[in-house]
Amino acid sequence: MGTARPRVVAILFGQPGAGAFNRAGAEGLARAAALPVTIETVWEPVPARRAETVEAAARRADLVIAHGGQGEQAVAAVAPAFPDVAFAVTQGRIAGPNIAGFEVLQEQSAFLAGALAGWWIAAGETAAHLSGEPVPPGLRGRAGFAAGLAHANPTARLLSGFCGNQHDPALAEYWTAAQARDGARLQFAMLDGGRDGALAACRASGMRAIGNVRDWTQEAPVFLASAVADNGVAMWAAIEAFLAGRFADRRIGLEAPEAVRLALAADVPPALAARVAALQAAVLAGEVTVPEAWSGPAWTP
């Protein structure tokens, strides 16, 4: 790295102001500005341009950060050609001599969210999950929610769908309304720019919502809970590890509540909150394992 300040190029896949996931990443970069690096932020909303954007970043960076699992394929394709550049993928688990993954474990807070959902609804009733692209972190989050739901309510029905786009409010509203018509009483949505559409359909149908990434319960009463997984912590961790010369995978879970936790709405009964807390303690003690895969059926409108 020499005596010059290392140059970090962070790529966020979306548009500024659209969604909590990228907002958390941008906030993490803002905090990391206190570190002795020069940070450049690049926004790439077009999936077909991901690889060329990563390659262009590698030509001018010491560290390239691809924010989110959407960047895994692009980094895997580009990194071997730039052996002197470090590549970090937040929420990623690809391997390579110059690649490391920095991850907040969304599946752990999603597991608690699924359990809350299962205890909130009656036996045999329906809960829903909705996300955009079926990238590995999203699949792990869905698996956590499904496992938590089954843990708390073995007879509950789950409608799990990937609509294909994290950032399309109209598409999210269409899918959410269809889930409500199919009997869902609440929905766990792992969306970004499309979340407003999902919330509009939840309000119209009377469904409760469970958010992710940040604490949505402070912003709208439709939220029953939020499976917090602040990926901005992963941004900081990637830069800090690079500077320290300890550039290796790092996973951050419920043991770090500033990064991963289940936030509850004020109307969650204290007895139910206590059940969630006990389950969290069991996960932290290794008494309950959160799976990373789910083999249930895909749902479409």
Side-chain angles (χ1 to χ4, degrees):
M1 293 186 291
T3 58
R5 289 166 68 93
R7 186 172 183 85
V8 178
V9 178
I11 304 167
L12 287 76
F13 301 107
Q15 296 179 336
F21 183 86
N22 281 332
R23 175 177 169 178
E27 290 173 349
L29 287 173
R31 296 192 296 269
L35 297 172
V37 293
T38 299
I39 299 175
E40 176 189 353
T41 302
V42 174
W43 292 86
E44 180 49 78
V46 181
R49 292 207 297 256
R50 288 172 183 166
E52 66 183 82
T53 302
V54 170
E55 181 176 352
R59 295 187 184 281
R60 61 183 187 274
D62 300 294
L63 169 64
V64 175
I65 304 176
H67 187 49
Q70 303 97 315
E72 284 192 335
Q73 290 185 347
V75 168
V78 172
F82 295 88
D84 296 327
V85 177
F87 293 81
V89 182
T90 61
Q91 304 308 98
R93 294 187 183 179
I94 59 172
N98 57 338
I99 302 171
F102 297 85
E103 182 181 9
V104 288
L105 297 177
Q106 176 72 84
E107 57 266 33
Q108 290 192 352
S109 56
F111 177 77
L112 298 181
L116 174 69
W119 287 321
W120 183 265
I121 65 177
E125 289 190 326
T126 301
H129 153 269
L130 180 64
S131 192
E133 297 179 57
V135 295
L139 292 169
R140 291 193 291 270
R142 188 267 306 273
F145 182 77
L149 181 68
H151 174 89
N153 190 338
T155 64
R157 177 176 173 237
L158 176 61
L159 310 178
S160 173
F162 288 85
C163 65
N165 192 317
Q166 300 288 118
H167 305 290
D168 187 331
L171 184 64
E173 184 172 4
Y174 171 75
W175 278 64
T176 302
Q179 289 180 330
R181 289 193 299 270
D182 204 355
R185 288 197 54 211
L186 52 76
Q187 181 201 61
F188 172 50
M190 297 179 66
L191 294 168
D192 215 15
R195 189 175 299 277
D196 285 349
L199 291 182
C202 283
R203 292 187 180 101
S205 66
M207 276 203 302
R208 295 300 294 270
I210 298 178
N212 79 317
V213 178
R214 60 188 294 179
D215 182 2
W216 291 94
T217 67
Q218 301 298 312
E219 301 189 25
V222 69
F223 285 99
L224 179 68
S226 192
V228 175
D230 183 355
N231 56 75
V233 174
M235 283 285 203
W236 174 284
I239 298 172
E240 187 177 48
F242 175 75
L243 290 173
R246 297 191 302 269
F247 197 64
D249 292 354
R250 185 178 174 197
R251 297 176 184 175
I252 304 163
L254 291 169
E255 75 285 352
E258 72 279 6
V260 180
R261 67 188 184 279
L262 183 66
L264 302 177
D267 62 335
V268 173
L272 185 48
R275 294 180 79 177
V276 172
L279 183 58
Q280 173 173 317
V283 172
L284 288 170
E287 298 166 2
V288 174
T289 300
V290 178
E292 297 184 348
W294 182 68
S295 58
W299 179 90
T300 57

